[in-house]
Amino acid sequence: MRIGVFICHCGSNIAGTVDCPSVAATALKYPDVVFSTDTMYACSEPGQDAIIQAVKEKNLDGVVVASCTPRMHEQTFRRAVERAGLNRYMFEMANIREHVSWIGKTKDLNTGKASELVRMAVEKLRRNRPLTAKRFETTKRVLVIGGGVAGIQAALDCADGGQEVVLVEREQSIGGKMAKLDKTFPTVDCSSCVLGPKMVDIAQHPKITLYTCSEVESVGGYVGNFQVTVRRKATYVDWTKCTGCGLCVEKCPSRKHPDPFNENLCNAPSINIPFPQAIPKKAAINPVSCLMLTKGKCGACAKVCPVKCIDFEQKDELVTVDVGAIVVATGYDLFDWHKYPQYGEGRYKDVITSMQYERLLSASGPTGGHVKRPSDGKEPKNVVFIQCVGSRDKSVNRPYCSGFCCMYTAKQAILTKDHIPDSQSYVFYMDIRSPGKLYDEFTRRAMEEYGAQYVRGRVAMIYPKGDKLIVRGADTLAGTQVEVPADLVVLAVGAEAAKGAVQLGEKLRVAPDQYGFFVESHPKLKPVETNTAGVFLAGACQGPKDIPASVGQGSAAAAKVLGLLSKAMLESDPAVSRVNPARCVGCGKCIQTCPFGAIKEVQDRFGNPKAEVIDTVCQGCGICTVTCPQGAIQLEHFTDNQILAEVNALCPPKMFANYE
Amino acid sequence: MSQLDDLKTAIKSRLGELECVIGWEQGYDPLHATPLFIRSEADLDRLIIGPLAVHNLATYLTGYKGKKVGVVVKGCDSKSVVQLLNEKLINRDDVVIFGLCCDGVVSQRKIRAALPADPGFVESVEIGGDGMTVTVAGQAATLKFADVQADKCRICTTPDAIVSDVLVGTAHTPAPAASLACQDEFEAKSDAEKLEFWQETMSRCIRCYACRNACPMCVCRDYCIATSRDPLWLSQDNTPAENMMFQMVHVSHLAGRCTECGECERACPVDIPLMLLRRFMNKQVKDVFEHQAGAALEQTPPLLTFKVEEERINERGW
Amino acid sequence: MLKIAYYPGCSGQGTSLEYDSSTRAVCKALGVELVDVPDWSCCGSTPAHTVNHVLSSALSARNLAQVEVMGMDKVTTPCPSCLTNLRTAAHKMEDPEFKAKSNALLDVPCNNTVDAQSVLQVLAENVDPELIKSKVVKPLTGIKIACYYGCIMNRPPEVMKFDHHENPMAMDNLMALLGAEVVPFPLKVECCGASYGIPRGDIVHKLSGKLLDAGRDVGADAFVTACPLCQMNLDLRQRQINDALRENFRIPVFYYTQLLGYALGIDRAELGFEKLCVDPRLALGRIKQPAQAM
Amino acid sequence: MPAQDVRELRIVGFLCNWCSYGGADTAGVGRFTQPTDLRIIRVPCSGRIDPLFIVRSLMNGADGVLVSGCHPRDCHYAEGNFYARRRLEMLKRFLPITGIDARRFEYTWVSASEGQRWQHVVTEFTRRIHELGPAPSFNPASEADWNALAVQASQGQGCPCHG
C-alpha cells in the first residue's frame, strides 16, 4: 500500500503547540507511508488540491490527514480523495487539534502525541478497504411533530415545496405558545392576527394532513423510510361531523376544571373549543371533568348537538404513516416558578406568570383584555415585573439565558401603560439582553416613553402588606435595598424543555442535552440537523427561541427536508455490518441484540442457518460485532482488525515491540 | 434393579428413534472412562456410570445439530444442556436426556497425586462403600472418595439432572450453595501475588486448546477467534501475556454462560487451574444479574439483554 | 422515653431564663429526657466566627466532643444561634483537613459523630402530635398567634436541614395543634436586627418595628418565637421601637415553649411569664377557658 | 511503544463517536487543558467496544484504559450503551482475579455537550493512573526473568486446589 500523510498547521491552531514538520518527518518511517508533508490549511482549496495532486503524482492509494476532529472535516477530505480517484473510505483522520494542540500545554509531549495519533491512523488505514454505498428509494412524505409557529412554518414550507405533510399536535388546536400571546415584540402587532392566517393555511392546504390531540407513539425505520405510529387520542366528538358551532360548549354544565389555554386563570367547560381561532375548530371533551365520562350521567352536549357528533364511546386510535423525513418542533414549556420559595410558592394570588399576564392582556382572555388582578379583580396600578425567573440561575439548574424574557417584559410594561394609563411598571432585571433588529430600541422605549422603572437587581422576597404585595430586592446600581409596593407581580418565567421531550427523543434517537433540549448536529454549521439522519429540529425544542428565530428555523428545517427528498435515491452509509458466512455458526446472538432488526436469519445452500445484514436498515453501531464470539459479523470500517491495529499501534505486543 | 440397569432399559426403549445415545465406557484402563456412542443394543453392554464417568457429554450435542440424539447427563452436565437449550444452540425436540442422580465423580488428578507413584497402567479398580481400591503393578491402594472427589462435587447443588426425559437413580436433597476454600484463598491474594501466579501458570500453557475443545459452551469450533487471522486477536507468540489473553477471550465469551462443569480444567494437560477464573466470573454475573447459567430453562444470557435501569450496577458518577 | 443531651447556651442562664425553664418543663411533660452536657462552654455566639473560623468551630467542637464523651449521638439546644454554631462546626468538620485543624485546639478531639438539633425540631419530629394533643388541658382557643422563626433557625438550608427555609411551619403546626389561631405571618424568617441592638439601636428599631407592624397587620394578639435574641429585640425593645417610630405596639412576645407549657397546664412558675416586658395578660386573657371553649 | 517519556503513561481511550468523542472535541474547542497521556480510539458506539479490546490493551502493556459513551437512554443507536454497560461492568469486576488492578480500567458517560466533564474525567483518570504508576507486565521484563520463570514453571508451583 502507498500512503500519503498530511499534517495540517491549521494556521497556529495546531502549529502553535505541535511541531508539525517533525510529525510529518516521523510519519515517513511508518509502514507503507511513502509521502508525508505538513500543510498550512489542509481543508482550504489549495490544501485539498495539494492532497489530490499528491495522490496522483505519488500514486497513493490511501491518505491520512492529521488536523481537526473528523466530526468537522472528515466528509470534506473524503470528497477530496474521491476527486483524486480513490475510494472515500481509503482515508483516515488524526485529530491533533481538539485532542492535542488545544488541550495540551507542552509542545514536545503534544508533538509526540500527534505522531502517535498519526501512526494509529496509518495502521488503521492499512486495514481499510474500499466501500461502496447502496442506493435506496425514499418516501415522499414529511412528518412534522408540533404545531407551534415553528412546526406550522416547517409544514407550510414543505407542503409548498411539493411534499406531503403530516402535522401532529398534542393539544386540541395548533398554534402553540404563540396563540396565547396578546401582542408580539418589537412591533406590538397582534399575535393572533399574524399567526391566524398561517393556521388557516394549514387547515386548507391540500398537501397537509393534520392530526391534533395526537402524539407520536413509536418510530421505526431510517432516513427516507420511517414508519411512524401516531396515537390519536379520543376526543369523544366525531370531528368528521362537528361543525364547531359551539352550542355544546355553551350548554355544558360542568365548568369546574381549570382552562389550560388561559393558563388556569379561569375554568373551562368540559366540552370546549379552546379559543375562537382554533384550528381545527372542533369541540373536544375533557374526560377528566366530563360528568358523562366520570359519573355516567349528563349528556347535555349530545342532546344539543345539531349534527349528533358526540360519541362517548370513542377510543384512542393508532394511525401508521410512512414518511421520508421528520421535523421535530415540540417547543418549550415554562419554568415552574414554585421552585423559588421567596416568591411565595403560590400563597399570594397576585403573583402570576408572564404567560398568565399575557392572557389578562388579551382581548380573548378571561377578562376580555381588561387587566384585573386575580385576588380581588381590581385594576392594578403598580405592576412589578421580575425577570430571570428560572433563567441564568444555577441553583435551580437553569444556568442558561432564556433569551426572550427581557423583550416580552418590555412589551408587557408597554402594554400595561396602554391598558392602564395611570399605572407604573417596575422591572427587576439582571442585565438587559436585547440583541436583534429593533430590539434594544424597543426596551429603551419601554423605559423612556412608557416610564417603566428598571431596577437592576434580584428580588429577595415578596410579602403581603394590606392589599398590596411588597417586593423587596436589591438595587445594585444604587447599592441599596428597595421595597416596591405592588398590586400585581408578574414573573418573567424562563423556558425549559417541553414535557415529554426526553421520551420523544428516545423514540427518535435524538439526544437531549442536560436540560432536555434536543442536540443539533453542529452548533454552528448544522443547527437544524440532528445526529440521526432524516430527523430535523425547528424552534424552541432545540433551545429557547423567540418567534422570528423559530420561524426561521422552521423554514430552515423545511429546506433541509426538501433537499433530502428532492433526490430520487438516497445512498446508505456503507459502514454497516457484514457477515462472513464461512465463519457464522448461525447461533443468532446478533439477531437477538440488534436494536434495529437489521439482521435476519437465512439458510445457506446446505440448509445451515446464517445471519444476514439488511444494509439499508443497519445503522452501523457494531453491537452485533461484539456479540459474535467468532467475529463472523464485522462492522465495516470499524472491524476488529482495524480497531486492534489501533490498539497495537499504541501498545504493541511483544512480537511487534522491536519494530522500527 | 441397579441404576445402571434402569438406564440401560431406558436407553433401549428409545434407541430406535435416535442417531445414537452418548454415554461412557471403560477407557484404556479400568481407572479411565471414555465417551461411548451407543448406536446398537450391543453397544449398551459397555455402558458404565459412576464416579469414573467424569466427562460432560453435553459437549458433543452441538455437533449433532439437526439430528436426534440421546445423552446421559449428571446433574452438573444437565446445566450445560439447559444453557445450550436457552441459547437455542440445540433443539429440545432433537435431544433425549437420560438424567442421572449422581453421587459425585473423581478427580483423576487427585487420584494420581494420592497414589504412591505415577500409576501408568492401572490393573483394576474396585468401587465400593465410601472409597475405591486401585491396583497398580500388583499393589492395591485404598482411596477415600472424599479425598479424591472433584472440586465441583464438593460444592455441588444440583446432583440430579435438572432437565431430563428419563431420570434414573435415587433423588438427592441438594446441599446449600458453598464456596471452595481454595477459591476464597486465591481471591484474597493481592494483585501482585495473583499476577505472579498467572505469569507462572500461563508460562506452562502450550496453547493446545484442550480447555476450549472440552467446553460444552464453546460452539464456535473451527471458527474460534483464537486461531483466526481475520479477526486477528491472538498472535502465535507463546508468552504468558498471549496465553492469558486466550483465557480472557474464553472467559469473556463464557460470561453468563459458563455452567462450571469444570471440563476445561480437567482437560488441561499442564494443570492450569482455569476454574479460578470461571468461578470468579460466575460470581460476578450472579451478583450483578442474579443469573446462574443453566440453572433454569427460558433464561436469557445476561449479556444478550439489558435493563434500562440496572439496579446493581453502580455507574460511578464521575 | 427519649433521652437527648441538652446544651442550654448562655442566654438560657441569663436573658432567657424563662426559655430554658419552660423548655425543660415541656420536655419533661412530653417524655423527652434532657441530660445536661457536662462542663459545656460558650458556643462562640456571633463574634467568634467573624474573627476566626477554626477557633469558632473549635468552641462548638468542644461541646460536641463533650456529648461524644457522654456516649450520645444527638444534642439539642433551644437557642438557634447556639444551634447554628454547633451545626456549622459539624458541617465544616466534614472536611478532614478542617477537622484536623479544629481538633488541634482541643484536649479531647471531636469525632464529629453528634447531630445537633433544635428543641423545636426534636418536638416536631420525635414527639407524636397525638400525644401532645392528648396532654393539652388548656387549649389556646381564641388567641391569634404570629409565629416568628428568625433568620437562622432554618438557614442556610444545607446546614440546618430542618423545615422550609423561606416558609417554616414547625411552630405554626404546633400552635395550631394547641388550638390557637395561627395567622399567616409573612415575615417569618426576616431579620430582627439581632445583636445590633447595642451598637446600632436604630437598625433594630427599623427591622423589629417592621415585624411588629406586619404582626399587627395580620391581626396577631401575640408573637411566639424560638430565639432568645429575637424575643429580646421584639419584647424588651418594643418600647424603644414605639418611641423611635412613634408607634404604639403592645404585642406580647412569647417563647413557643411558654405557650406550649401553658396549654399543657404546667406550673406558671416554670413558664416565667413574669419575665416578659410587654404584659402578656391581655393576650392570655383572650384564651377561652376550657369550659367556654367546649 | 511504551509511553513517550517518564512524564506520560500509556492510557488508551475508547470513545463513542456521537457523545463522548464529541465531548472531547467540545473540551478541545473550549480549550479545557488536559494531561496528554490519553490516546483516543474512535468507535461508532460504546456498544462496539468489545471488552477484549480493553484486555488486549492491558495485556499489551497499557497503564490505563478509559471508556466513555453516551449517557444511558441517550445512545445514538438507542441501546448500544445498555449492552456496553453490562459488558464493561463485568470486565471491571472480573479484572481483580487476573491480578490486574481494576482501577486501571474505568468506564463513564460523557455527552457531546459536556466538555468540562470530559476534562474532569481525563484529569482525574490520568491522575489515578499516575498514582498507580506503570502497569506490571504479564510478560517477564528480561531474558533472565524469562529463564527464572521457565524454571519455576517446570517445577510447577501449582494452584491452591492442586497444591
Side-chain angles (χ1 to χ4, degrees), chain A residues 341-342 345 347-348 461 463-466 472 483, chain C residues 164-167 184 186-187 190 210 213-214 217:
Chain A
Q342 61 265 44
E345 297 177 309
R347 290 194 298 280
Y348 316 130
M461 81 178 296
Y463 65 93
K465 179 146 180 59
R472 179 201 293 168
E483 290 203 338
Chain C
H164 193 298
H165 63 283
E166 294 283 351
N167 184 34
L187 303 182
E190 283 296 284
K210 196 182 225 161
D213 185 32
D217 266 10

Side-chain angles (χ1 to χ4, degrees), chain A residues 185-187 403-404 406-408 410 432-446 545-549:
Chain A
F185 60 79
T187 47
F404 47 45
C406 287
M407 295 306 300
Y408 75 59
I432 296 298
R433 305 249 164 123
S434 55
K437 202 168 172 180
L438 295 174
Y439 280 17
D440 204 55
E441 296 92 318
F442 186 71
T443 56
R444 303 286 343 159
R445 268 174 65 202
K545 263 173 215 65
D546 62 8
I547 293 165

